[in-house]
Amino acid sequence: MSTSHELLWSIGELAERAGATVKTVRFYSDQGLLPEAARSSGGHRRYGSQALERLHLIRSLRALDLPLPEIRRVLDDEEAAGRVLEDALDSRLRGLGSELKALRWREAALHLVRDCPPAERAGRLRLLGALNTPPSTAPLARFWRAWLPPRMPRPATTAFLEAAVPQPPDEPHPTQVLAFARLHAMTTAPCPDGRQPQPDVHRVAGADGAVLLYAGLAEAFELAAPHLRRARDPHPGEALDAYVAAYASAFRSRDTHDFRRSLAARLSAEARLDQYWELAAVVLTRPGSSPHPTPGSADDWLRAALRLDNAGAA
């Protein structure tokens, strides 16, 4: 052995210098994270000063809650240790973010049940019991996928879902938790007649026409959103023109006074999803803030603008 006995420590001496327990040192050594420098004549482990530095590093990484496989990657790749450590920390931060979000949802759910009238608790518990924490938007996405026309191109479907499915807030208020739970219940309940109602525009326009329609509606909703945020009354203008143009393209028609009158009549006969959009607005809006515009509220505003425009033309 080339290293003198004075520079080597027993497992107990190493543990004492590191402020750790013998059990901890033995565990890391058994895991191959803390190699021994030598063995005594009696077969006992001996560690050098490098083992002390390595043990300090391992304990520091464990204090950051990094799992052992990530710690092993940091220790084994000295040349890329900085990059590996950064990746490991980023991964742990993402994990902690998810854990914190779940805890905030559980906290808000507890307040929601505790603070409601006793007669409502059983119902709220049933609603909340169907949710994961944090909740998944997958059931809402499945609801809309069944509502959209078949064979609609993936990019158009993705764009529609991004607008239609509200993302759960990271720090929810109890009212937002209740609204999302009701959305979940609404979108997972079976349809009364056993099938998802399809808007008439889907049957008329087909998948290709629906792509044009939703692209145009997205533009119209974006133009209407500032008016909604400022609580302006519905009125004809650029947003309404984009709204009508979206339907005209889907129906392969022109934007005329007759078309606008027939469109208003057609839209008034369509099935509505008012409850969905009301709940979505609650999910997206922090209590005390102005209601967050949704495709539903924008559509309501534009329909009202269309009725005013038709009345003016008449």
Side-chain angles (χ1 to χ4, degrees):
M1 183 172 62
S2 60
T3 307
S4 65
H5 178 71
E6 287 75 19
L7 296 180
L8 298 180
W9 302 310
S10 68
I11 193 170
E13 291 170 334
L14 177 60
E16 182 179 358
R17 283 169 170 76
T21 65
V22 171
K23 182 179 180 181
T24 297
V25 176
R26 182 175 289 112
F27 172 77
Y28 291 139
S29 186
D30 290 341
Q31 293 294 315
L33 298 177
L34 197 64
E36 58 199 50
R39 290 267 179 167
S40 69
S41 57
H44 299 295
R45 300 170 182 176
R46 292 289 183 263
Y47 301 91
S49 57
Q50 289 184 343
L52 180 60
E53 296 176 6
R54 194 175 178 96
L55 182 56
H56 281 313
L57 176 58
I58 293 171
R59 298 188 71 205
S60 296
L61 296 174
R62 285 297 294 150
L64 295 174
D65 207 23
L66 262 64
L68 288 181
E70 296 294 341
I71 293 175
R72 189 184 304 279
R73 288 181 59 220
V74 174
L75 297 175
D76 289 348
D77 194 345
E78 294 182 2
E79 293 184 0
R83 176 183 54 77
V84 173
L85 177 57
E86 186 175 338
D87 291 345
L89 292 174
D90 286 344
S91 175
R92 187 61 192 132
L93 283 170
R94 288 191 295 271
L96 281 175
S98 297
E99 293 171 23
L100 288 171
K101 184 175 180 179
L103 288 173
R104 293 185 186 112
W105 271 81
R106 289 172 189 158
E107 180 184 28
L110 289 170
H111 282 294
L112 182 65
V113 176
R114 186 197 66 180
D115 299 339
C116 77
E120 297 180 16
R121 283 179 179 161
R124 291 193 177 185
L125 284 170
R126 282 194 296 272
L127 283 172
L128 296 170
L131 290 180
N132 297 323
T133 49
S136 170
T137 58
L140 280 65
R142 283 195 295 271
F143 170 85
W144 285 112
R145 286 182 187 278
W147 187 85
L148 291 170
R151 296 180 301 280
M152 189 164 162
R154 180 176 295 180
T157 299
T158 300
F160 179 89
L161 293 177
E162 288 177 353
V165 177
Q167 294 301 312
D170 290 342
E171 299 184 18
H173 186 273
T175 56
Q176 293 172 299
V177 172
L178 180 59
F180 195 92
R182 286 174 172 163
L183 272 180
H184 181 275
M186 174 185 174
T187 54
T188 55
C191 294
D193 60 356
R195 66 182 183 85
Q196 187 89 346
Q198 296 289 336
D200 181 61
V201 66
H202 291 172
R203 290 187 291 272
V204 174
D208 293 338
V211 172
L212 296 174
L213 172 64
Y214 291 131
L217 289 180
E219 179 185 356
F221 294 163
E222 186 175 349
L223 291 170
H227 301 298
L228 287 163
R229 293 190 183 97
R230 296 179 176 88
R232 291 175 177 168
D233 292 334
H235 58 271
E238 185 182 11
L240 177 60
D241 291 344
Y243 185 69
V244 175
Y247 281 100
S249 65
F251 292 133
R252 297 172 177 81
S253 181
R254 293 185 301 109
D255 180 1
T256 65
H257 291 307
D258 288 341
F259 178 79
R260 291 195 175 204
R261 284 193 294 272
S262 66
L263 176 61
R266 186 191 292 263
L267 292 176
S268 65
E270 289 282 13
R272 298 280 292 172
L273 293 171
D274 293 333
Q275 183 186 10
Y276 180 96
W277 297 117
E278 290 167 4
L279 292 171
V282 175
V283 172
L284 294 170
T285 306
R286 190 71 183 173
S289 303
S290 299
H292 192 287
T294 67
S297 62
D299 190 71
D300 287 341
W301 192 94
L302 289 162
R303 288 190 187 201
L306 179 61
R307 290 192 295 270
L308 287 172
D309 185 62
N310 286 335

